[in-house]
């Protein structure tokens, strides 16, 4: 355990003074193991403690009370810190110091400590013997967890009363070199431009040591262990041993030769002492970044290509270059420029982003008849400028020869669209113009033929050899095929080249209007009151022609028939409108056709006699036709109107009678009496069906035998016990139960059972007439029938089983059984 160093009050060091014990004010003792001290004025020295080592350190209590009861601060000992080395091997617990009060000679005293490491986490690092005051450390210390501890020592009597004021104890953990330097990153990445000068900064690596940085244990130094590859020198980089900065130390960095360096860096504590210090390593990867120190160079001095004339966006030739800089970077990407040979700008050179090749492309159509070949000079450079001191290579320029191929070009119309003006109505066969095309292939002897491509009204004809256009029909400006006075037709010009080529041209004919349409009267129908008043009919005219072949119009009434001018009069309002009104005081209601002559202002003028249908009718006070008057004006008299109303009334009466008859028939159908009233019936209704005939094999049977005779007087009486089964027996009929007027749901079952018993005992009740249906079952049947029982040749046939089938079959058993005896 290291020796403690004492400090006198006031902070002055007292090295070299040896003491074993001292006494503070009022006899508080401070014992130590071979500590050096020098007593201060006002203190007294006690005898040496003869006890064997380890010796105790008695700590003074700083404040005391004088005889007058007043407290004052005296010159006390300053408690020196207690130094404990970390990672001690023990044995534990290991004594650190002993605390004693001079009052323990008079009364028993208990000692305790508080603070972090005692009663606060981490707990119980330090302990104290409560009786002797000896303080111990209980386990190895770790400075990296806690570099120091601050405890307080307490002295109390057996009752817990404070005997002395608490004193502060400071414990410092002495650092040991037990931690290696640790790099922040295991791999560092940096970069440096190729061609950099020595001393160029590259990157910084950093390692931290958990030991005390104020001692050699935490002082880290760096060095480069290895460099891979060792080209062009094995020491291309150096590192600052204290800061970890890596810089270049030699020239010759060339990315095209070495693109990346791997440097192993070692960090060692103890100020880099490899014999005593602890070390760790990390990897620094240094990438040599590219600079544009290699100009692009063409792989050939000349290139060639060809392209058909009139083609655009076509690649003519591919120019290949070589650049040793980093691919797909601005230092590698090529930029091409045509410096001569293309004054009209027919070509451009674009860069292929993948291959970096230059693609000579046609951007403006080339005419073989004007240019048969081009000699281009192309220069290549990079997107990024060349590095300082690097010059362009003579191989950065190349020549490109482009040949133009002649192809068959289509004829074209020089004036497209061609516009001509003429009057409408020219006769067929009139020559309008010559619409000819030009063949651009001057070096080919080819003929051009013409044809119509679009002629909506079929008005035109074109000469196939010279393109002369004549009319095939009369041109009409008012036709539906004319828009805004213009008629448009399209023609085709084709040569006889291989392959043939053709071009189109459009001819527009502006038709000048002539007065070829007479005006039409508007409106075509009107109405007016039968007596003259203020109302009149306003009329105008419509003309398909245009100015000046339209209005002003002239409106007049014809002289024939004379009644027109007698009954009507027309008054001109202006050049386009006139009014038609009655001339006489009264005109019988009805429809009248009034002819009016309308004449336009064309040269020569055209006139037309139009008929207007005028309805003359009685009017009310407002001058409007009444309803009856309108009908009368339509040509129907009073008698006809009355007849129509009578017919409508008769039709409605017939419809009403038919509806009443249908409702009455429906009511009669629903008034049939049922066994149970529909209101009381909660079951399905039992419907009574009419008589049904037999099957297909029963059609020949005489069903009249089943009918009940109207009178029984003509039937002779028969012997008792013998009767026919196909006729109704003669005898008294049993009394059936009478249905109650208001049946109760509980009585329905009783009512049905009583009726069933009465029917079973009634000899006149069915099925006497249905036995014949059961007698006959068709021919060819392998089954026996009831009738076969009668004709059986067996004399001992047993019919007793029929008695089990009910009263009706019991009669059969008796009948057939008795007949055999007869």
């Amino acid at each position: 355990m290291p020796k403690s160093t004492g400090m006198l009050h006031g902070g002055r060091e007292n090295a070299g003074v040896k003491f074993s014990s001292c006494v503070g004010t009022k006899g508080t003792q401070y014992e130590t193991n071979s500590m050096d001290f020098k007593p201060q004025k006002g203190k007294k020295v006690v005898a040496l403690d003869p006890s064997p080592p380890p010796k105790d350190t008695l700590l003074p209590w700083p404040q005391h009370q004088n005889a007058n009861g007043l407290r004052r601060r005296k010159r006390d000992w300053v408690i020196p810190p207690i130094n404990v080395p970390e990672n001690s091997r023990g044995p534990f617990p290991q004594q650190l110091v002993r605390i004693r009060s001079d009052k323990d000679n008079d009364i028993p005293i208990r000692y305790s400590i508080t603070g972090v490491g005692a009663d606060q986490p981490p707990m119980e690092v330090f302990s104290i013997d409560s009786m002797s005051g000896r303080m111990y450390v209980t386990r190895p210390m770790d400075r990296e967890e806690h570099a120091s501890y601050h405890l307080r020592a307490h002295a109390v009597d057996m009752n817990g009363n404070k005997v002395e004021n608490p004193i502060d104890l400071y414990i410092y953990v002495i650092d040991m070199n037990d931690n290696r330097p640790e790099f922040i990153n295991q791999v560092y990445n940096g970069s440096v431009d190729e061609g950099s000068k020595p001393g160029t900064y590259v990157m910084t690596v950093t390692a931290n040591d958990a030991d005390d940085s104020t001692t050699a244990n935490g002082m880290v130094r760096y060095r480069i262990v290895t460099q891979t590859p060792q080209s062009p020198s094995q020491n291309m980089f150096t590192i600052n041993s204290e800061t970890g900065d890596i810089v270049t130390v030699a020239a010759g960095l060339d990315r095209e030769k070495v693109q990346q360096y791997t440097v192993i860096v070692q960090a060692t504590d103890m100020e880099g002492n490899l014999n005593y210090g602890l070390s760790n390593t990390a990897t620094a990867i240094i990438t040599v970044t590219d600079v544009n120190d290699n100009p692009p160079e063409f792989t050939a001095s000349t290139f060639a290509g060809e392209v058909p004339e009139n083609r655009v966006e076509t690649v003519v030739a591919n120019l290949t270059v070589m650049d040793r800089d980093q691919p797909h970077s601005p230092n590698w990407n090529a930029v091409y420029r045509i410096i001569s040979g293309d004054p009209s700008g027919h070509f451009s050179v674009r860069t292929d982003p993948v291959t970096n090749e230059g693609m000579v492309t046609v951007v403006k159509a080339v005419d073989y008849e004007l240019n048969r070949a081009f000699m281009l000079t192309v220069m290549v450079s990079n997107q990024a400028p060349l590095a300082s001191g690097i010059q362009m290579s003579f191989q950065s320029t190349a020549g490109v020869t482009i040949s133009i191929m002649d192809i068959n070009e289509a004829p074209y119309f020089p004036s497209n669209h061609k516009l001509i003006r003429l009057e409408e109505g020219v006769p067929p066969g009139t020559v309008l113009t010559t619409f000819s095309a030009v063949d651009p292939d001057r070096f080919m002897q080819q003929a051009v033929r013409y044809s119509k491509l679009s002629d909506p009204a079929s008005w035109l004809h074109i000469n196939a050899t010279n393109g002369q256009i004549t009319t095939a029909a009369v041109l009409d400006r008012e036709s539906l095929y004319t828009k805004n006075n213009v008629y448009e037709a399209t023609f085709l010009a084709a040569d006889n080249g291989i392959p043939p080529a053709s071009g189109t041209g459009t001819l527009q004919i502006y038709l000048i209007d002539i007065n070829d349409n007479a005006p039409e009267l508007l409106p075509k129908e009107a109405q007016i009151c039968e007596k003259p008043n203020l109302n009149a009919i306003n009329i105008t005219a419509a003309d398909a022609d245009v100015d000046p072949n339209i209005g002003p119009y002239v409106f007049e009434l014809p002289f024939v028939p004379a009644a027109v001018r007698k009954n009507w009069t027309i008054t001109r309002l202006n050049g386009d409108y006139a009014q038609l009104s009655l001339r006489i005081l009264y005109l019988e209601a009805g429809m009248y056709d009034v002819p009016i002559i309308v004449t336009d202002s064309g040269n020569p003028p055209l006139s037309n006699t139009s008929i207007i249908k005028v309805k003359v009718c009685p009017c009310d006070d407002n001058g409007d036709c009444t309803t009856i008057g309108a009908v009368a004006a339509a040509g129907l008299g009073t008698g006809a109107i009355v007849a129509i109303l009578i017919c409508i009334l008769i039709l409605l009466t017939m419809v009403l009678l038919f509806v009443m008859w249908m409702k009455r028939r429906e009511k009669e159908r629903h008034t049939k009496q049922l066994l149970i009233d529909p209101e009381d019936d909660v079951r399905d209704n039992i419907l009574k069906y009419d008589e049904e005939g037999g099957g297909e094999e029963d059609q020949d049977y005489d069903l009249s035998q089943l009918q009940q005779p109207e009178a029984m007087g003509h039937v002779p009486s028969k012997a008792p016990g013998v009767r026919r089964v196909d006729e109704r027996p003669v005898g008294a009929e049993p009394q059936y139960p009478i249905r109650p007027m208001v049946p109760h749901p509980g009585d329905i079952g009783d009512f049905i059972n009583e009726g069933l018993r009465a029917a079973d005992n009634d000899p006149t009740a069915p099925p006497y007439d249905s036995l014949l249906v059961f007698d006959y079952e068709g021919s060819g049947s392998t089954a026996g029938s009831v009738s076969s029982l009668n004709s059986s040749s067996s004399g001992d046939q047993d019919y007793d089983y029929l008695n089990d089938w009910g009263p009706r079959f019991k009669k059969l058993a008796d009948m057939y059984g008795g007949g055999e005896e007869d």
Side-chain angles (χ1 to χ4, degrees):
M1 180 175 129
K3 301 185 185 315
S4 300
T5 302
M7 294 277 301
L8 292 178
H9 184 74
R12 293 176 295 177
E13 295 185 359
N14 296 274
V17 180
K18 193 170 185 76
F19 71 93
S20 60
S21 65
C22 63
V23 179
T25 305
K26 294 188 66 177
T28 303
Q29 296 182 351
Y30 180 87
E31 297 184 0
T32 182
N33 294 332
S34 330
M35 283 191 172
D36 298 334
F37 83 103
K38 181 181 291 185
Q40 196 172 9
K41 184 177 181 181
K43 303 295 180 179
K44 56 184 179 179
V45 180
V46 296
L48 295 176
D49 191 349
S51 60
K55 296 182 179 180
D56 300 332
T57 300
L58 301 183
L59 303 181
W61 302 97
Q63 293 186 2
H64 301 275
Q65 188 173 2
N66 59 12
N68 296 328
L70 298 177
R71 290 189 175 184
R72 65 185 181 89
R73 185 83 176 182
K74 299 187 68 176
R75 294 166 62 98
D76 297 325
W77 293 103
V78 176
I79 306 301
I82 303 171
N83 295 323
V84 180
E86 65 173 335
N87 302 325
S88 174
R89 297 183 178 179
F92 296 100
Q94 184 177 15
Q95 183 178 340
L96 297 180
V97 72
R98 181 183 178 191
I99 302 171
R100 286 186 60 192
S101 171
D102 57 354
K103 296 181 181 180
D104 63 354
N105 294 326
D106 301 330
I107 59 174
I109 295 178
R110 291 184 177 274
Y111 302 95
S112 63
I113 55 175
T114 59
V116 175
D119 61 345
Q120 299 177 21
M123 307 285 287
E124 299 179 355
V125 177
F126 304 96
S127 64
I128 189 171
D129 189 329
S130 62
M131 300 304 296
S132 64
R134 290 184 176 88
M135 191 172 70
Y136 302 91
V137 59
T138 62
R139 58 191 180 204
M141 310 290 286
D142 188 355
R143 192 200 68 85
E144 286 69 43
E145 291 183 1
H146 286 85
S148 64
Y149 295 87
H150 178 202
L151 303 178
R152 305 202 76 185
H154 306 270
V156 297
D157 60 14
M158 302 304 292
N159 294 325
N161 298 319
K162 182 173 68 172
V163 177
E164 301 284 357
N165 291 328
I167 60 173
D168 294 324
L169 302 177
Y170 294 94
I171 302 171
Y172 293 106
V173 182
I174 301 174
D175 182 46
M176 305 290 289
N177 189 19
D178 58 345
N179 292 280
R180 295 178 180 273
E182 296 290 341
F183 283 95
I184 297 177
N185 300 313
Q186 202 58 35
V187 178
Y188 289 84
N189 291 283
S191 62
V192 62
D193 290 340
E194 62 175 331
S196 297
K197 297 179 180 180
T200 302
Y201 172 79
V202 179
M203 62 193 303
T204 299
V205 297
T206 304
N208 297 323
D209 197 315
D211 292 325
D212 190 356
S213 61
T214 62
T215 66
N217 297 335
M219 295 181 180
V220 181
R221 300 294 182 264
Y222 303 93
R223 73 186 187 94
I224 293 178
V225 180
T226 60
Q227 168 195 306
T228 305
Q230 298 180 358
S231 174
S233 172
Q234 62 180 357
N235 296 318
M236 296 296 297
F237 306 95
T238 186
I239 187 170
N240 188 305
S241 61
E242 294 184 2
T243 63
D245 294 341
I246 299 176
V247 296
T248 60
V249 71
L253 290 173
D254 190 352
R255 191 204 66 84
E256 286 73 36
K257 295 180 180 179
V258 179
Q259 299 182 3
Q260 191 178 81
Y261 290 90
T262 301
V263 177
I264 304 301
V265 180
Q266 184 183 58
T268 306
D269 57 17
M270 298 300 291
E271 297 181 293
N273 191 322
L274 298 178
N275 295 326
Y276 303 103
L278 301 177
S279 301
N280 215 336
T281 60
T283 302
I285 298 177
I286 302 174
T287 302
V288 181
T289 56
D290 184 49
V291 297
N292 194 12
D293 57 347
N294 294 281
E297 297 177 350
F298 284 104
T299 58
S301 59
T302 59
F303 297 88
E306 60 180 7
V307 63
E309 63 175 332
N310 300 323
R311 296 283 182 87
V312 292
E313 297 302 326
T314 301
V315 176
V316 180
N318 290 331
L319 312 182
T320 56
V321 297
M322 181 184 64
D323 195 322
R324 291 188 298 273
D325 290 322
Q326 184 176 358
H328 305 289
S329 69
N331 300 329
W332 178 83
N333 295 336
V335 178
Y336 299 89
R337 183 166 56 96
I338 299 175
I339 59 177
S340 65
D342 185 25
S344 300
H346 291 283
F347 304 94
S348 71
V349 184
R350 301 168 182 172
T351 304
D352 189 319
V354 177
T355 64
N356 212 28
E357 294 180 353
M359 300 179 293
V360 181
T361 307
V362 181
V363 295
K364 182 178 179 182
V366 181
D367 191 353
Y368 174 82
E369 285 70 28
L370 299 177
N371 297 285
R372 300 187 182 184
F374 290 86
M375 296 294 295
L376 308 179
T377 301
V378 181
M379 185 176 68
V380 62
S381 59
N382 292 125
Q383 287 182 352
L386 289 175
S388 177
I390 305 299
Q391 300 295 328
M392 290 293 295
S393 171
F394 71 93
Q395 294 180 349
S396 298
T397 303
V400 182
T401 302
I402 300 175
S403 301
I404 309 301
M405 297 183 296
D406 189 19
I407 62 172
N408 185 26
E409 299 177 80
Y412 66 93
F413 291 89
S415 55
N416 194 21
H417 302 22
K418 185 176 183 179
L419 177 66
I420 62 174
R421 301 171 64 91
L422 73 155
E423 289 186 348
E424 63 174 329
V426 296
T430 303
V431 177
L432 300 183
T433 184
T434 299
F435 197 29
S436 59
V438 176
D439 192 347
D441 297 315
R442 294 177 295 172
F443 302 101
M444 298 181 184
Q445 300 299 325
Q446 299 178 147
V448 178
R449 306 286 293 180
Y450 300 92
S451 61
K452 284 196 304 182
L453 189 61
S454 172
D455 183 13
S458 300
W459 287 345
L460 305 176
H461 172 75
I462 187 170
N463 190 296
T465 57
N466 59 15
Q468 187 182 67
I469 297 176
T470 57
T471 58
V474 177
L475 278 64
D476 186 5
R477 190 199 65 85
E478 291 76 29
S479 171
L480 297 177
Y481 300 104
T482 302
K483 296 181 179 179
N484 298 326
N485 303 332
V486 176
Y487 179 75
E488 192 172 273
T490 306
F491 299 93
L492 183 71
D495 61 19
N496 58 350
I498 300 175
S502 60
T504 59
T506 301
L507 177 66
Q508 293 179 330
I509 304 174
Y510 185 88
L511 297 176
I512 301 173
D513 183 46
I514 63 173
N515 193 19
D516 57 347
N517 293 279
E520 294 287 338
L521 185 67
L522 292 177
K524 299 294 184 182
E525 295 180 355
Q527 68 180 17
I528 194 172
C529 295
E530 60 185 1
K531 294 181 180 180
N533 51 16
L534 297 179
N535 66 339
I537 301 173
N538 293 326
I539 59 176
T540 185
D543 197 324
D545 295 322
V546 295
D547 191 59
N549 298 318
I550 50 175
Y553 301 101
V554 176
F555 303 90
E556 56 183 347
L557 297 175
F559 291 94
V560 179
V564 174
R565 284 182 171 264
K566 176 183 177 182
N567 297 333
W568 304 91
T569 181
I570 191 167
T571 304
R572 181 178 178 181
L573 300 178
N574 53 37
D576 296 329
Y577 290 91
Q579 277 189 346
L580 178 66
S581 58
L582 287 174
R583 179 185 292 272
I584 59 178
L585 296 178
Y586 173 79
L587 185 63
E588 184 180 0
M591 294 294 298
Y592 295 87
D593 292 338
V594 180
I596 299 175
I597 301 173
V598 184
T599 306
D600 60 22
S601 299
N603 186 19
L606 294 179
S607 50
N608 179 34
T609 301
S610 297
I611 303 297
I612 180 173
K613 292 183 176 295
V614 180
K615 180 191 299 183
V616 179
C617 58
C619 297
D620 55 16
D621 297 337
N622 297 326
D624 299 325
C625 285
T626 60
T627 303
I628 298 178
V631 175
L636 296 178
T638 304
I641 295 174
V642 172
I644 291 174
L645 294 177
I646 292 175
C647 291
I648 294 174
L649 183 62
I650 293 174
L651 181 61
L652 292 176
T653 304
M654 293 177 64
V655 172
L656 180 62
L657 292 176
F658 178 76
V659 171
M660 293 177 61
W661 177 77
M662 291 296 294
K663 288 186 176 181
R664 181 176 181 182
R665 182 180 179 185
E666 185 71 16
K667 184 177 180 181
E668 290 177 353
R669 188 166 61 87
H670 285 288
T671 54
K672 276 193 173 182
Q673 294 295 329
L674 301 177
L675 182 63
I676 301 176
D677 289 339
E679 294 80 0
D680 300 329
D681 193 5
V682 296
R683 306 160 300 161
D684 293 339
N685 291 331
I686 302 176
L687 303 178
K688 178 180 178 182
Y689 293 91
D690 292 336
E691 184 177 75
E692 297 182 0
E696 294 179 356
E697 297 181 351
D698 296 338
Q699 298 301 320
D700 297 335
Y701 188 77
D702 186 10
L703 295 179
S704 63
Q705 300 296 327
L706 300 178
Q707 304 298 325
Q708 181 176 349
E710 297 295 335
M712 301 300 296
H714 64 282
V715 178
S717 60
K718 299 179 181 177
V722 180
R723 63 183 178 86
R724 292 177 57 180
V725 296
D726 60 345
E727 64 182 16
R728 180 177 181 179
V730 179
E733 297 182 358
Q735 295 295 322
Y736 288 91
I738 300 175
R739 176 190 175 198
M741 294 301 294
V742 183
H744 188 273
D747 299 334
I748 294 176
D750 296 339
F751 173 78
I752 294 175
N753 291 331
E754 291 178 4
L756 180 59
R757 286 194 297 271
D760 289 339
N761 298 323
D762 184 6
T764 63
Y768 66 89
D769 58 344
S770 62
L771 292 176
L772 295 177
V773 177
F774 294 115
D775 285 346
Y776 182 71
E777 297 182 358
S779 61
S781 176
T782 58
S785 63
V786 179
S787 62
S788 65
L789 299 176
N790 192 25
S791 59
S792 175
S793 59
S794 175
D796 56 353
Q797 184 70 30
D798 186 11
Y799 300 100
D800 294 338
Y801 65 89
L802 296 176
N803 295 324
D804 299 333
W805 292 5
R808 300 182 183 181
F809 291 97
K810 183 177 181 181
K811 296 177 183 179
L812 292 176
D814 295 341
M815 180 181 65
Y816 286 106
E820 184 177 358
E821 294 177 358
D822 295 338

